[in-house]
């Protein structure tokens, strides 16, 4: 009888096994893909938008903008993106609690649609203010998705694949950067007439997510622990895993649910006062800050100058820049494959160690580029090597810390802290990098190298390995680290259904 039933079940099992992959793609295309895409497409139309701003001002007042105000307005347009991201990060926790993980990603596309509309009609309306507001809105969308997507995927994945699945957020970020660089080429939408369409093209991935994500399941942990819906949780697990071997995972979910009963949810500021979360919060803040201050964004900003020093023709620099995004994408794919074999700590330490090495060589090459004719080529190689090293570890692993180090009650608040830190650092680095470049000249990467060393040292001494462990096992290990010699106490019985992550 078993042989008779096996063939018809196999296609069904294979189909259900693909649901997790489809969930990853649907969440990513409208999630961190949008972050990377909107981060990179703004570079191509820089001069065109500045000309439009100047011309609009001339039509309104009869006078051109003063020379010093043109870069100021452009800096405002660029910096409104991280400001919106900060607002989105603060919205992400309440949205994930009230609407659920999947619905939060869907509702988040309202910001994308509004921003695309503003971008598309900005030139016709003769309003550079519409561009500013649009950048703020896509920033809000990116802030929400950067927090909710890894939370959704980390809660939906089995523990043996959780790291690889959560690291797909970094893959979609890198893919968005590359696609933004490609679409922004002069031959496509980077020309002087097509820039409104280039900025409005963020609508396409948003529509793709709206068409695909509603067909896929919600996070099983959210359904069971937050909503208390056991039947919906079981149905979601069956779609994500297939019909076999669910008993062990259901038992782990019930253990996690029991651990959440009778305990009050944490607010973001309360995470810093709880001794039981000391190691988790320290790791989140230190490694999150290190990722933003390690110099990767600065390498992207300095890449064009390095390529010019290497005698790449100006019209070809845009193609070399695509190679930088391609390096990060390749590294993210590689780290996704090896993270469950190598572990989180090794990828982080290796990534920061290699970044320190290549950054040191890069500094030496900048100092000697006027003395030796081949030094500019060495500097260009270091740019690619530095970005590869960043993509191998820090880019992906840092993003899953809030998922794995915090439980269901504290996870949304942890993502709010992580997101607020990330966007604030991104804003400050963008604001301060020109002054660092002017003040330190060829030694501008020395502060970033010190940060990379600190990241590697902290990871080696203080970050626990979470590979292949359930959330309950991770919580028990962190309890032992926070309270040496004290075993976790018994779970307190509470009501059957708890809004465990309510802020």
């Amino acid at each position: 009888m078993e042989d008779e039933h096996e063939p018809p079940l196999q296609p069904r099992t294979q189909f259900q096994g693909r649901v997790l992959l489809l969930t990853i793609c649907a969440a990513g295309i409208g999630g961190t893909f949008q972050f990377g895409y909107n981060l990179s497409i703004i570079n191509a139309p820089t001069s065109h938008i500045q000309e439009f701003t100047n011309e609009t001002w001339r039509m309104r007042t009869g006078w051109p903008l003063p020379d010093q105000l043109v870069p100021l307005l452009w800096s405002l347009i660029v910096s409104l993106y991280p400001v919106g991201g900060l607002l989105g990060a603060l919205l992400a926790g309440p949205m994930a609690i009230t609407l659920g993980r999947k619905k939060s990603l869907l509702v988040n596309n309202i910001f994308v649609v509004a921003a695309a509309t503003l971008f598309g009609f900005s030139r016709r309306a003769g309003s550079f203010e519409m561009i500013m507001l649009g950048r703020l809105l896509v920033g809000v969308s990116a802030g929400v998705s950067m927090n909710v997507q890894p939370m959704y995927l980390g809660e939906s994945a089995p523990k043996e694949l959780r790291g690889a699945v959560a690291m797909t957020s970094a893959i979609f970020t890198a893919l968005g950067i590359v696609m933004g660089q490609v679409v922004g080429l002069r031959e496509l939408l980077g020309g002087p007439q097509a820039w409104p369409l280039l900025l409005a093209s963020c609508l396409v991935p948003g529509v793709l997510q709206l068409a695909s994500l509603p067909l896929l399941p919600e996070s099983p942990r959210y359904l069971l622990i937050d909503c208390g819906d056991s039947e919906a949780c079981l149905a979601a697990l069956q779609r994500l895993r297939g019909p076999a071997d669910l008993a062990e995972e259901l038992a782990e979910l019930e253990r996690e649910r029991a651990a959440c009963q009778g305990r009050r949810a944490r607010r973001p500021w309360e995470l810093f006062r709880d001794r039981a979360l000391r190691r988790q919060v320290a790791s989140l803040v230190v490694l999150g800050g290190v990722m933003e201050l390690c110099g990767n964004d600065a390498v992207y900003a300095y890449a064009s100058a390095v390529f010019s020093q290497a005698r790449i023709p100006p019209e070809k620099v845009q193609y070399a820049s695509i190679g930088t995004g391609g390096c990060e994408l390749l590294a993210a794919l590689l780290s996704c494959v090896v993270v469950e074999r190598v572990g989180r700590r090794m990828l982080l330490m290796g990534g920061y160690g290699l970044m320190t090495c290549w950054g040191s060589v890069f500094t030496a090459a900048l100092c000697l580029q006027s003395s030796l004719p081949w030094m500019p080529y060495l500097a260009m190689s270091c740019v690619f090597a530095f970005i590869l090293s960043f993509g191998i570890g820090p880019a992906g692993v840092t993003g899953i810390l809030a998922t794995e180090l915090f439980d269901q009650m504290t996870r949304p608040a942890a993502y709010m802290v992580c997101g607020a830190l990330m966007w604030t650092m991104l804003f400050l680095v963008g604001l301060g990098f020109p002054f660092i470049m002017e003040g330190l000249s060829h030694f501008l990467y020395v502060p970033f190298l010190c940060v990379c060393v600190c990241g590697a040292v902290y990871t080696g001494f203080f970050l626990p390995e979470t590979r292949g462990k359930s959330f309950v096992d991770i919580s028990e290990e962190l309890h032992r680290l926070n309270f040496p010699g004290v075993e976790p106490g018994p779970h307190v019985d509470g009501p059957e259904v708890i809004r465990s992550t309510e802020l």
Side-chain angles (χ1 to χ4, degrees):
M1 291 296 291
E2 288 183 7
D3 294 335
E4 293 178 7
H5 288 288
E6 210 170 298
L9 281 175
Q10 189 174 3
R12 181 185 173 196
T13 303
Q14 291 175 351
F15 172 77
Q16 289 171 326
R18 289 196 293 267
V19 172
L20 181 60
L21 178 61
L22 294 174
T23 302
I24 293 168
C25 294
I29 193 64
T32 52
F33 178 89
Q34 288 276 35
F35 165 68
Y37 187 75
N38 287 290
L39 193 65
S40 64
I41 61 170
I42 198 65
N43 295 323
T46 299
S47 60
H48 308 316
I49 295 178
Q50 288 180 349
E51 290 173 6
F52 166 72
T53 303
N54 198 13
E55 186 61 29
T56 301
W57 188 268
R58 183 193 299 271
M59 290 178 62
R60 292 179 184 177
T61 65
W63 300 93
L65 270 172
D67 292 339
Q68 66 271 21
L69 286 184
V70 175
L72 178 64
L73 284 176
W74 174 248
S75 299
L76 184 60
I77 290 173
V78 174
S79 62
L80 280 172
Y81 186 63
V83 171
L86 176 60
L87 296 176
L90 298 177
L91 282 174
M95 285 179 66
I97 294 160
T98 306
L99 303 175
R101 284 43 165 163
K102 186 179 81 169
K103 287 183 181 178
S104 294
L105 290 173
L106 292 172
V107 171
N108 189 39
N109 286 289
I110 293 174
F111 300 112
V112 175
V113 173
T117 304
L118 291 169
F119 290 144
F121 292 98
S122 58
R123 186 168 63 182
R124 179 172 296 184
S127 173
F128 57 83
E129 294 87 355
M130 292 173 67
I131 301 176
M132 293 180 178
L133 181 57
R135 287 290 290 176
L136 181 69
L137 291 177
V138 291
V140 172
S141 171
V144 172
S145 61
M146 287 285 287
N147 284 8
V148 177
Q149 181 189 333
M151 194 189 313
Y152 173 47
L153 295 179
E155 292 177 3
S156 300
K159 65 181 181 181
E160 62 273 9
L161 294 176
R162 188 175 60 240
V165 170
M167 288 188 74
T168 58
S169 298
I171 293 176
F172 278 99
T173 298
L175 182 61
I177 290 173
V178 173
M179 287 299 298
Q181 291 170 333
V182 171
V183 175
L185 291 174
R186 285 186 292 269
E187 294 83 354
L188 296 177
L189 296 180
Q193 301 301 318
W195 63 262
L197 291 177
L198 174 63
L199 297 182
S201 60
C202 62
L203 181 64
V204 176
V207 169
L208 290 175
Q209 185 178 75
L210 287 172
S212 57
L213 193 58
L215 306 176
L216 297 163
E218 175 61 273
S219 158
R221 277 180 170 77
Y222 175 80
L223 293 171
L224 181 66
I225 301 174
D226 290 65
C227 301
D229 194 339
S230 302
E231 293 183 1
C233 172
L234 179 59
L237 278 176
Q238 287 176 337
R239 290 193 65 196
L240 289 166
R241 311 282 190 269
D245 299 329
L246 292 178
E248 182 180 351
E249 187 165 4
L250 283 171
E252 289 179 358
L253 283 173
E254 289 294 345
R255 286 175 61 200
E256 193 174 346
R257 181 187 189 185
C260 291
Q261 288 184 345
R263 296 165 56 196
R264 188 176 66 81
R266 301 292 179 179
R267 298 175 177 85
W269 54 89
E270 292 178 336
L271 301 183
F272 295 90
R273 301 201 302 257
D274 191 342
R275 187 185 171 193
L277 300 173
R278 181 176 51 190
R279 181 69 63 98
Q280 297 93 306
V281 172
S283 299
L284 188 71
V285 172
V286 171
L287 294 178
V290 167
M291 186 186 73
E292 294 304 323
L293 298 176
C294 67
N296 187 66
D297 295 328
V299 166
Y300 273 110
Y302 205 68
S304 296
V306 172
F307 296 151
S308 298
Q309 288 286 339
R311 297 182 179 86
I312 293 179
E315 66 275 8
K316 302 295 183 183
V317 168
Q318 60 177 345
Y319 302 105
S321 298
I322 294 175
T324 60
C327 282
E328 187 168 339
L329 176 59
L330 177 64
L333 289 169
L334 177 62
S335 64
C336 184
V337 172
V338 303
V339 65
E340 296 299 345
R341 299 180 182 179
V342 177
R344 283 63 155 157
R345 296 174 73 250
M346 188 59 66
L347 283 180
L348 274 178
M349 288 189 294
Y352 283 126
L354 288 173
M355 289 167 70
T356 304
C357 174
W358 292 118
S360 302
V361 176
F362 184 60
T363 300
L366 291 179
C367 294
L368 299 174
Q369 63 184 354
S370 59
S371 304
L372 301 173
W374 51 272
M375 277 297 169
Y377 300 98
L378 177 61
M380 186 173 67
S381 302
C382 288
V383 167
F384 290 105
F386 191 94
I387 293 173
L388 274 170
S389 304
F390 175 78
I392 286 174
V397 176
T398 309
I400 64 177
L401 292 179
T403 298
E404 296 192 325
L405 297 183
F406 293 84
D407 61 20
Q408 192 80 3
M409 297 173 63
T410 56
R411 193 172 297 127
Y415 267 107
M416 291 173 69
V417 172
C418 182
L421 176 69
M422 186 199 80
W423 289 102
T424 302
M425 291 291 186
L426 187 64
F427 176 78
L428 293 177
V429 170
L431 195 65
F433 180 71
F435 300 100
I436 296 174
M437 187 166 59
E438 182 179 352
L440 297 180
S441 184
H442 297 322
F443 298 95
L444 79 164
Y445 278 97
V446 172
F448 300 124
L449 299 181
C450 296
V451 171
C452 291
V453 171
C454 292
V457 171
Y458 182 90
T459 301
F461 284 99
F462 300 106
L463 184 69
E465 180 58 69
T466 56
R467 176 178 52 139
K469 298 176 182 177
S470 70
F471 286 122
V472 175
D473 294 335
I474 295 171
S475 296
E476 292 175 352
E477 180 178 353
L478 287 166
H479 184 278
R480 287 191 291 269
L481 291 173
N482 288 319
F483 301 97
V486 180
E487 290 298 319
H491 298 311
V492 180
D493 292 333
E496 181 65 20
V497 179
I498 283 185
R499 298 295 297 185
S500 64
T501 55
E502 187 171 2
L503 299 181

